[in-house]
Amino acid sequence: MVNLSVNINGLILKNPVTTASGTFGYGQEFIDFIDLNLLGGFIVKGTTLLPREGNPYPRMAETPSGMLNAVGLQNKGVDYFITNIYPYIKNYDTHIWVNISGSTVEEYVAIAEKLSSLEKITAIEVNVSCPNVKEGGMAFGTSCPGIKAVVSAVRKVYPKTLIVKLSPNVTDIVEIAKAAVDEGADALSLINTLLGMAIDIKKRKPGSFNNNRRFIGACYKTYCS
Amino acid sequence: MPKQIVNAQILNNIRLNDKYFVIKIQPKFPLEKIYAGQFLQLEIPDVKDIFLRRPFSIHDVDFQNNTIDILIQIVGKGTYALSNLKTGKNVNIIYPLGKGYTYTTNSRVLLVGGGCGIAPLLFLAKELKSRGNILDIILGFRTKQDVIEEEYYKLYTKYIHHNRRR
């Protein structure tokens, strides 16, 4: 038997296969298709302090090599997760991590505190691509001060594995990454989605929805390679 | 009911008029339990710039012959591509999705739908009729040319009411 286990700064996964936040719901949506116990871990969808409706429709558009989306972190909030979701997923024999998002440093801290007591949540993934409403909406993860503020505050209240999911929409991701690690991140996950736009060349205009749209798709490989 | 991702063969693809067509597909495995009002997500084959599956209501189900009918209105490149698929072609589907309708028994039920919105009502009519319900069905269309499948809905009710603008 081949040993596929991986060590993420002390957190041991039985294999390196995990599902990214936002692609796998709360895990249970896929139990008809895959045995969740086989995974090294799964990352629960972006969770905020309070429930969020997300952006108004349309918030998704198909492009030839992927899709644009601006869902806007629609979720029922961390309290709903703790009460209504966690009890049903905690018994899977795999790591369960929660992706957290906030509009202020205080919100990140509050979510981290609530999740820290859940035994089967072995890590949180901090989404720093959210706009900081106290700094005019600039994303936390696009500046060293922004990312330092979030990571250091969360680190103080969250003793388990702290993963920081970096934004690619920066000039120099290395300095952002170093800042996160300096403030206590145990691991980095790369990357959050790239900003994108689809242009109708016949109409000579962008597509029908254009608010903070993110692109995902096959041509990501070209970007990352 | 468990969901499946399966390949299904197109048994026929019938154009009803310039807007609508019905494809009959036969999944490779025995059908799961399906409730009227549920839908499937269909992957459109062989078209490079169509990335996302398309959701369609389940129009009718024949459990004996293991087939599903899908009523589709041509509205864009995905549905246009589907309208040209030939018999024998395989498509990949995820089904059954959604909660479906709640069935009543031995009641009088009014079904109302318009345009492609009539799609889930055929299977619903079948299921309700089999449960002793008496049905009235109202189908709405923009024009006389848009009226489709009336003869199939008439199998489950004495009265079909049309409502069309012209």
Side-chain angles (χ1 to χ4, degrees):
Chain A
M1 178 78 80
V2 175
N3 183 357
L4 296 176
S5 64
V6 293
N7 184 339
I8 300 179
N9 209 2
L11 188 67
I12 310 296
L13 277 62
K14 58 189 166 192
N15 63 62
V17 179
T18 62
T19 62
S21 163
T23 68
F24 211 65
Y26 293 113
Q28 285 187 292
E29 296 89 332
F30 290 85
I31 58 174
D32 290 335
F33 307 118
I34 183 172
D35 179 359
L36 298 183
N37 299 304
L38 296 176
L39 294 171
F42 64 89
I43 308 175
V44 163
K45 62 183 282 178
T47 300
T48 50
L49 185 62
L50 298 175
R52 280 179 63 126
E53 288 293 321
N55 288 324
Y57 295 102
R59 53 193 196 183
M60 199 168 78
E62 187 176 59
T63 69
S65 51
M67 59 179 266
L68 293 169
N69 83 87
V71 174
L73 292 172
Q74 180 183 357
N75 76 101
K76 295 187 178 179
V78 65
D79 290 335
Y80 181 90
F81 169 76
I82 292 169
T83 307
N84 297 89
I85 304 293
Y86 175 71
Y88 298 100
I89 62 175
K90 66 178 182 177
N91 293 322
Y92 286 108
D93 180 26
T94 184
H95 284 279
I96 305 170
W97 305 339
V98 180
N99 178 288
I100 69 170
S101 296
S103 303
T104 63
V105 171
E106 291 77 17
E107 285 186 9
Y108 282 101
V109 168
I111 303 168
E113 282 179 319
K114 284 176 185 268
L115 294 173
S116 63
S117 61
L118 302 181
E119 182 190 343
K120 286 304 295 288
I121 304 300
T122 56
I124 56 174
E125 182 185 57
V126 181
N127 173 13
V128 294
S129 298
C130 304
N132 182 349
V133 297
K134 290 185 179 175
E135 297 293 333
M138 191 169 77
F140 289 99
T142 57
S143 73
C144 289
I147 202 162
K148 283 180 177 179
V150 171
V151 177
S152 61
V154 171
R155 182 76 284 177
K156 288 189 178 96
V157 302
Y158 191 77
K160 293 188 258 187
T161 301
L162 176 58
I163 305 167
V164 177
K165 187 166 190 174
L166 300 180
S167 168
N169 303 306
V170 296
T171 308
D172 182 359
I173 201 169
V174 173
E175 67 170 9
I176 305 290
K178 282 181 179 173
V181 171
D182 287 345
E183 295 303 323
D186 295 304
L188 303 171
S189 72
L190 285 81
I191 46 176
N192 214 316
T193 44
L194 290 157
L195 290 174
M197 179 188 287
I199 304 206
D200 187 326
I201 59 172
K202 291 179 182 170
K203 294 179 184 172
R204 298 185 183 182
K205 281 197 240 181
S208 58
F209 91 102
N210 278 295
N211 293 321
N212 202 25
R213 59 244 167 261
R214 311 276 170 174
F215 178 82
I216 53 173
C219 59
Y220 246 8
K221 295 174 194 165
T222 307
Y223 177 85
C224 291
S225 65
Chain B
M1 59 235 82
K3 298 183 277 286
Q4 280 192 18
I5 303 176
V6 293
N7 285 330
Q9 187 176 59
I10 294 177
L11 297 187
N12 55 48
N13 184 348
I14 298 172
R15 179 67 74 98
L16 302 178
N17 55 31
D18 61 345
K19 275 187 186 174
Y20 301 103
F21 62 101
V22 175
I23 58 174
K24 186 183 291 289
I25 60 173
Q26 186 174 59
K28 298 286 187 217
F29 299 100
L31 286 176
E32 293 290 338
K33 177 63 186 163
I34 301 173
Y35 290 93
Q38 290 190 296
F39 67 100
L40 52 82
Q41 290 270 19
L42 191 151
E43 186 179 65
I44 299 173
D46 304 330
V47 184
K48 284 183 185 171
D49 64 346
I50 295 180
F51 177 69
L52 299 171
R53 290 178 185 258
R54 287 349 191 211
F56 298 107
S57 303
I58 291 172
H59 180 49
D60 200 2
V61 180
D62 182 343
F63 288 103
Q64 199 166 356
N65 292 307
N66 209 64
T67 62
I68 296 173
D69 287 0
I70 310 169
L71 170 64
I72 301 174
Q73 180 181 357
I74 301 171
V75 295
K77 60 184 178 183
T79 46
Y80 178 75
L82 284 174
S83 72
N84 290 318
L85 290 181
K86 304 288 182 225
T87 299
K89 186 75 184 170
N90 278 322
V91 291
N92 187 272
I93 62 171
I94 305 175
Y95 87 105
L97 301 171
K99 302 273 187 208
Y101 294 110
T102 303
Y103 296 152
T104 57
T105 54
N106 302 318
S107 301
R108 185 159 184 186
V109 182
L110 173 63
L111 305 185
V112 182
C116 63
I118 70 171
L121 300 185
L122 184 63
F123 186 39
L124 178 60
K126 180 193 280 187
E127 293 288 276
L128 290 175
K129 185 74 178 173
S130 71
R131 287 164 172 78
N133 295 287
I134 297 171
L135 307 182
D136 287 291
I137 302 178
I138 299 178
L139 305 178
F141 300 96
R142 280 179 189 260
T143 68
K144 189 177 179 182
Q145 288 71 33
D146 289 339
V147 176
I148 53 171
E149 302 228 307
E150 188 181 8
E151 65 276 21
Y152 295 109
Y153 290 84
K154 275 185 177 169
L155 295 174
Y156 306 108
T157 180
K158 274 188 191 174
Y159 306 106
I160 286 229
H161 308 276
H162 273 163
N163 181 22
R164 52 185 168 82
R165 289 185 187 178
R166 59 183 188 278

